[in-house]
Amino acid sequence: MEAAPEFEIEGRRLTEFLEWAGRELGRPIVYATPEAELAAAEVVLSGSITGLTPEEALAAVLATTRLRRAERDGALVIEVESAAN
């Protein structure tokens, strides 16, 4: 994972980043609901993940959104964070 190619997030959609992260981590990305997929498609990222592993980058990027990840059956499931969380 440390030798993963860099991914420039500036101006990219969250869905693109998630596809990259899933590939680098060897796990498929699954959206829990159509709402989660739409929310991810609407997010345009800014900043940089330079120097972060794919796992660290995924945690850092999702922390800036209303989306969270769960792990089920080897997949990374993207969910909309509920108001109760």
Side-chain angles (χ1 to χ4, degrees), residues 67-80:
L67 298 168
R68 297 294 171 253
R69 80 166 201 209
E71 296 183 26
R72 290 190 202 116
D73 300 321
L76 296 175
V77 180
I78 305 301
E79 306 171 320
V80 176

Side-chain angles (χ1 to χ4, degrees), residues 37-60:
E37 188 169 9
L38 180 61
E42 291 175 342
V43 174
V44 177
L45 301 172
S46 63
S48 173
I49 57 169
T50 299
L52 299 179
T53 66
E55 185 68 39
E56 292 167 337
L58 182 60

Side-chain angles (χ1 to χ4, degrees), residues 1-84:
M1 274 194 266
E2 291 181 27
E6 291 290 324
F7 183 87
E8 296 296 324
I9 65 171
E10 187 67 38
R12 305 282 290 274
R13 298 270 177 198
L14 178 57
T15 50
E16 293 177 89
F17 169 75
L18 291 172
E19 289 172 18
W20 172 83
R23 264 192 321 275
E24 294 303 317
L25 294 169
R27 296 176 160 184
I29 298 294
V30 176
Y31 295 94
T33 62
E35 178 189 16
E37 188 169 9
L38 180 61
E42 291 175 342
V43 174
V44 177
L45 301 172
S46 63
S48 173
I49 57 169
T50 299
L52 299 179
T53 66
E55 185 68 39
E56 292 167 337
L58 182 60
V61 168
L62 286 179
T64 68
T65 73
R66 63 186 187 110
L67 298 168
R68 297 294 171 253
R69 80 166 201 209
E71 296 183 26
R72 290 190 202 116
D73 300 321
L76 296 175
V77 180
I78 305 301
E79 306 171 320
V80 176
E81 184 177 281
S82 69

